[in-house]
Amino acid sequence: MKRICALLLCFCVSFSILTAQDLQSETPAEQQEPEEFVYKMNQKGDWFVCLGGSINIPIKPENLRIGMDLNLGFYTFLTENFAIGGDGNATYALTIGDNIYFSVPLMARAMYQFSVNNFEIPVSLGAGVAIQTYIERYYFGLIINPEIGAYYRFRTDWSAGIHCGVNILPQWYENKEYNRTGYIMDTGVSVRYHF
């Protein structure tokens, strides 16, 4: 029995010595360097929703009056500066003859955004389709929209600002003499919710 107790005691002492050596070789948690956290206004994987309104100033055709639109967009950042997303608008304007021009553009958009302190300056290009109606005519065609904006991030999850762009609306027909391209400048205000 004494031999068994001596062996057990020897085993326990040996195990304690080996465990103590392993613990000493590990660096204590408080001695490890903490990971540095860098706050960025936007990071990969961030999203934002944009809601805005614009005044539309027709450059061409000349028979349109100043109109307005409402827009809604969803975007996600692929890097801290580059985002992709999509937006939809509802555009309304009267013509000189008091007829109604209505358009619903749906666009995919790529955006590069500069950030300076709490200011964000997005430069973007949207392309997609626009459903257009005028009197009894309907047209389903291409729309291209380059745009620039300036937003102020007044909270971590909210920003507000202005934007300005040009809607380029080509219309192509079988009879080429009816082909035309509309250029409508839109400028307005937007709020963005970041998450």
Side-chain angles (χ1 to χ4, degrees), residues 54-61 64-69 91-93 164-167 182-188:
S54 300
I55 293 175
N56 295 325
I57 303 165
I59 300 167
K60 188 178 178 183
L64 281 180
R65 292 183 181 164
I66 292 176
M68 59 185 188
D69 76 26
T91 304
Y92 171 86
C164 184
V166 176
N167 292 319
Y183 298 94
I184 301 171
M185 186 172 79
D186 70 278
T187 182

XYZ file of all heavy atoms in Angstrom, residues 54-61 64-69 91-93 164-167 182-188:
208
model
N -36.707 65.379 -55.377
C -35.949 66.224 -56.291
C -36.867 67.120 -57.093
O -38.035 66.805 -57.315
C -35.142 65.374 -57.280
O -34.241 64.540 -56.631
N -36.283 68.204 -57.565
C -36.916 69.038 -58.573
C -36.240 68.694 -59.889
O -35.006 68.637 -59.961
C -36.741 70.529 -58.234
C -37.532 70.857 -56.982
C -37.180 71.395 -59.398
C -37.342 72.269 -56.495
N -37.031 68.439 -60.910
C -36.498 68.073 -62.222
C -36.579 69.260 -63.166
O -37.658 69.820 -63.384
C -37.279 66.894 -62.813
C -37.090 65.644 -61.996
O -36.015 65.424 -61.449
N -38.111 64.835 -61.884
N -35.448 69.637 -63.717
C -35.365 70.765 -64.637
C -35.056 70.208 -66.028
O -33.958 69.700 -66.267
C -34.269 71.756 -64.190
C -34.557 72.217 -62.766
C -34.166 72.920 -65.158
C -33.402 72.896 -62.084
N -36.014 70.262 -66.957
C -35.786 69.686 -68.279
C -34.812 70.527 -69.112
O -34.944 71.745 -69.187
C -37.181 69.670 -68.910
C -37.936 70.722 -68.190
C -37.359 70.800 -66.813
N -33.824 69.877 -69.667
C -32.900 70.521 -70.599
C -33.411 70.270 -72.018
O -33.457 71.159 -72.847
C -31.473 69.970 -70.404
C -31.012 70.248 -68.970
C -30.517 70.568 -71.408
C -29.779 69.506 -68.546
N -33.823 69.032 -72.252
C -34.405 68.641 -73.521
C -35.347 67.478 -73.240
O -34.966 66.587 -72.487
C -33.273 68.224 -74.472
C -33.709 67.973 -75.873
C -32.508 67.630 -76.734
C -32.954 67.328 -78.136
N -31.854 66.919 -78.988
N -36.562 67.415 -73.698
C -37.235 68.290 -74.660
C -37.681 69.598 -74.022
O -37.889 69.690 -72.810
C -38.433 67.457 -75.104
C -38.738 66.579 -73.943
C -37.411 66.288 -73.293
N -41.328 70.302 -71.821
C -41.584 69.937 -70.423
C -41.390 71.133 -69.503
O -40.505 71.953 -69.715
C -40.641 68.817 -69.974
C -40.972 67.404 -70.384
C -39.913 66.450 -69.837
C -42.338 66.976 -69.908
N -42.208 71.201 -68.471
C -42.021 72.188 -67.415
C -41.234 71.543 -66.278
O -41.002 70.342 -66.265
C -43.374 72.656 -66.894
C -44.162 73.456 -67.893
C -45.441 73.944 -67.261
N -46.232 74.692 -68.225
C -47.496 74.979 -68.067
N -48.135 74.585 -66.983
N -48.142 75.658 -68.981
N -40.896 72.353 -65.295
C -40.189 71.823 -64.118
C -41.103 70.830 -63.413
O -42.287 71.101 -63.197
C -39.774 72.964 -63.178
C -38.691 73.804 -63.850
C -39.279 72.421 -61.849
C -38.262 75.020 -63.066
N -40.551 69.663 -63.066
C -41.311 68.617 -62.398
C -40.672 68.233 -61.079
O -39.801 68.940 -60.559
N -41.095 67.099 -60.551
C -40.512 66.632 -59.286
C -40.537 65.110 -59.234
O -41.244 64.461 -60.010
C -41.250 67.222 -58.103
C -42.702 66.920 -58.041
S -43.369 67.852 -56.660
C -44.983 67.209 -56.594
N -39.738 64.569 -58.335
C -39.753 63.116 -58.145
C -39.476 62.751 -56.698
O -38.969 63.548 -55.920
C -38.793 62.402 -59.102
C -37.319 62.510 -58.731
O -36.994 62.680 -57.546
O -36.477 62.418 -59.626
N -41.409 59.965 -61.158
C -41.197 61.305 -61.698
C -42.472 61.834 -62.331
O -43.146 61.121 -63.070
C -40.075 61.269 -62.759
O -38.905 60.727 -62.169
C -39.777 62.650 -63.296
N -42.766 63.103 -62.058
C -43.998 63.728 -62.554
C -43.665 65.118 -63.076
O -42.942 65.879 -62.429
C -44.999 63.826 -61.403
C -46.226 64.638 -61.693
C -47.332 64.059 -62.302
C -46.278 65.990 -61.358
C -48.469 64.811 -62.560
C -47.406 66.739 -61.611
C -48.499 66.142 -62.217
O -49.614 66.881 -62.478
N -44.204 65.450 -64.260
C -44.030 66.797 -64.813
C -45.196 67.121 -65.737
O -45.811 66.219 -66.315
C -42.716 66.904 -65.571
N -27.247 66.090 -57.008
C -27.532 66.670 -58.312
C -27.086 65.673 -59.375
O -25.999 65.110 -59.292
C -26.795 67.995 -58.479
S -27.195 68.824 -60.025
N -27.936 65.446 -60.369
C -27.614 64.509 -61.429
C -28.358 64.845 -62.702
O -29.109 65.822 -62.767
N -28.146 64.033 -63.714
C -28.814 64.210 -65.002
C -29.400 62.873 -65.419
O -28.688 61.862 -65.471
C -27.837 64.712 -66.087
C -28.534 64.805 -67.442
C -27.269 66.058 -65.712
N -30.708 62.860 -65.717
C -31.359 61.681 -66.278
C -31.230 61.740 -67.795
O -31.701 62.692 -68.416
C -32.842 61.628 -65.890
C -33.030 61.389 -64.414
O -32.331 60.586 -63.816
N -33.969 62.090 -63.817
N -33.874 62.490 -74.124
C -34.234 63.494 -73.129
C -33.120 63.669 -72.115
O -32.465 62.699 -71.721
N -32.893 64.907 -71.707
C -31.914 65.243 -70.675
C -32.649 66.042 -69.606
O -33.110 67.156 -69.873
C -30.761 66.075 -71.244
C -29.977 65.355 -72.305
C -30.287 65.512 -73.653
C -28.933 64.501 -71.963
C -29.576 64.854 -74.629
C -28.212 63.835 -72.939
C -28.541 64.013 -74.271
O -27.840 63.348 -75.232
N -32.777 65.473 -68.422
C -33.504 66.132 -67.341
C -32.604 66.191 -66.116
O -32.189 65.152 -65.584
C -34.807 65.374 -67.018
C -35.695 65.303 -68.263
C -35.539 66.041 -65.871
C -36.898 64.407 -68.129
N -32.280 67.404 -65.696
C -31.434 67.570 -64.512
C -32.298 67.436 -63.262
O -33.392 68.006 -63.197
C -30.760 68.935 -64.532
C -29.759 69.111 -63.406
S -28.800 70.623 -63.539
C -29.970 71.794 -62.912
N -31.830 66.647 -62.301
C -32.557 66.544 -61.036
C -31.649 66.970 -59.891
O -30.500 66.578 -59.818
C -33.111 65.130 -60.817
C -32.048 64.106 -60.542
O -31.433 63.615 -61.502
O -31.817 63.799 -59.362
N -32.195 67.808 -59.043
C -31.454 68.270 -57.875
C -32.403 68.271 -56.683
O -33.560 68.662 -56.811
C -30.828 69.664 -58.111
O -30.083 70.040 -56.960
C -31.890 70.716 -58.401
N -31.923 67.783 -55.557
C -32.827 67.670 -54.418
C -32.123 67.368 -53.119
O -30.905 67.484 -52.997
